[in-house]
Amino acid sequence: MVVVVDTVSATPLRPRHPEKVNRPDALSPPKPDWIRVRAPNTRGYAETRNIVKDTCTRACAFCNVKTGMPGALDPDEPEHVAEATFKLGLAHIVVTSVDRDDLADGGAAHFAQTVRAIRARCPATTIEILTPDFLRKEGALEIVAAAKPDVFNHNLETVPSRYLSVRPGARYFHSVRLLQRVKEIDPSIFTKSGIMVGLGEERHEVLQVMDDLRSADVDFLTIGQYLQPTRKHHAVMRYVTPDEFSNFEKVAYTKGFLMVSASPLTRSSHHAGEDFARLRAARAARSR
Ligand code: SF4
């Protein structure tokens, strides 16, 4: 064995995921042709903004965000996000955050302030939030919903049987209930959720997730292929074929979703602006 000691770098290189470095490498199968396509860029019309810092208090097996103790919130951030939204002339913005289990409200008030600041500065911009689960943060969801975002997105990420190895800090039924509560509080808010496939789930489990989300009155479902960020992350168990995705999409529509996006490259916030316009049109058509 050879040990290399770096005596040159001013700052020693720290691993991005110290909690994952000792895991054995997880090998994924080679990517099929249908995955090797560049994701489209929708900047200029819609953009995603991350608030409440870039370090997460959780360590989901699929996620490439840093894990650790995040710093204090920036009280001026809501105004800064609103100003950036104005300067970029965005028609639609997605505001998202890491999980903040360290905060008493999980960052809920900060989300709400950001939504209100954007609304005040850019009244024509539609606002989508992609939130953590606020697990064990009583009253947090109500604070966020009261700010009236246009779209409330919270991703289930995977089927319940895979939670322990894929999303260990979360609880499946809590996440479903969170989405259901948003609709109970304010039925005018569109609700949205997504899962990744290729993490070892069975087809019947994906169909069960669809039923659970419809029971929670969720409007919009996204399903995309999981891709492994590094070998220390969960392996891709399987590449789901484009035909299987299109079958998921058809089945989901029969279950009553207003909108469904299911394809290998579907991602929760891609095309968010265009999707919001379609979502609104679908609701209007259904209420006629
Ligand atoms: S809670 Fe969200 S940001 Fe944090 S590790 Fe899990 S997926 Fe990533």
Side-chain angles (χ1 to χ4, degrees), residues 4 35 78 111 115 137 141 143 168 192 204 220 222 228 246:
V4 179
I35 291 291
F111 256 108
V115 171
K137 308 290 180 192
L141 172 67
I143 291 170
K192 173 175 172 182
H204 69 86
F220 185 7
T222 62
Q228 185 185 36
S246 105

Side-chain angles (χ1 to χ4, degrees), residues 203-238:
R203 176 185 149 79
H204 69 86
E205 294 178 295
V206 175
L207 304 192
Q208 182 64 55
V209 167
M210 292 180 191
D211 287 338
D212 293 343
L213 288 174
R214 283 307 302 138
S215 300
D217 217 5
V218 169
D219 298 302
F220 185 7
L221 170 66
T222 62
I223 307 179
Q225 171 69 51
Y226 166 65
L227 296 175
Q228 185 185 36
T230 76
R231 287 182 172 202
K232 298 297 179 187
H233 288 81
H234 199 294
V236 173
M237 307 307 287
R238 192 168 84 83

Side-chain angles (χ1 to χ4, degrees), residues 56-60 62-67 97-99 132 157 167:
C56 184
T57 48
R58 295 200 196 161
C60 301
F62 60 89
C63 178
N64 206 18
V65 167
K66 270 186 292 179
T67 299
S97 85
V98 294
D99 197 289
E157 310 290 8
R167 204 182 170 216

Side-chain angles (χ1 to χ4, degrees), residues 191-194 218-222 257-261 275 279:
T191 49
K192 173 175 172 182
S193 188
V218 169
D219 298 302
F220 185 7
L221 170 66
T222 62
F257 289 98
L258 268 184
M259 249 185 82
V260 182
S261 175
D275 284 347
L279 200 52

Side-chain angles (χ1 to χ4, degrees), residues 25-136:
D25 285 359
L27 299 182
S28 297
K31 287 182 187 151
D33 289 347
W34 64 77
I35 291 291
R36 299 170 199 270
V37 179
R38 285 187 60 187
N41 187 352
T42 56
R43 192 185 161 96
Y45 180 70
E47 182 162 299
T48 301
R49 285 275 154 162
N50 198 6
I51 58 170
V52 308
K53 304 288 177 193
D54 63 352
T55 303
C56 184
T57 48
R58 295 200 196 161
C60 301
F62 60 89
C63 178
N64 206 18
V65 167
K66 270 186 292 179
T67 299
M69 187 52 78
L73 296 181
D74 172 5
D76 296 328
E77 189 172 40
E79 293 302 330
H80 290 159
V81 173
E83 195 54 31
T85 306
F86 178 78
K87 284 191 176 146
L88 290 167
L90 298 178
H92 188 82
I93 182 163
V94 181
V95 178
T96 187
S97 85
V98 294
D99 197 289
R100 293 294 305 253
D101 290 326
D102 58 311
L103 300 175
D105 72 350
H110 205 73
F111 256 108
Q113 284 158 15
T114 306
V115 171
R116 291 199 174 97
I118 298 168
R119 198 70 88 202
R121 187 74 175 95
C122 318
T125 301
T126 48
I127 305 168
E128 176 166 337
I129 54 171
L130 170 57
T131 76
D133 61 15
F134 304 115
L135 188 63
R136 291 184 279 273

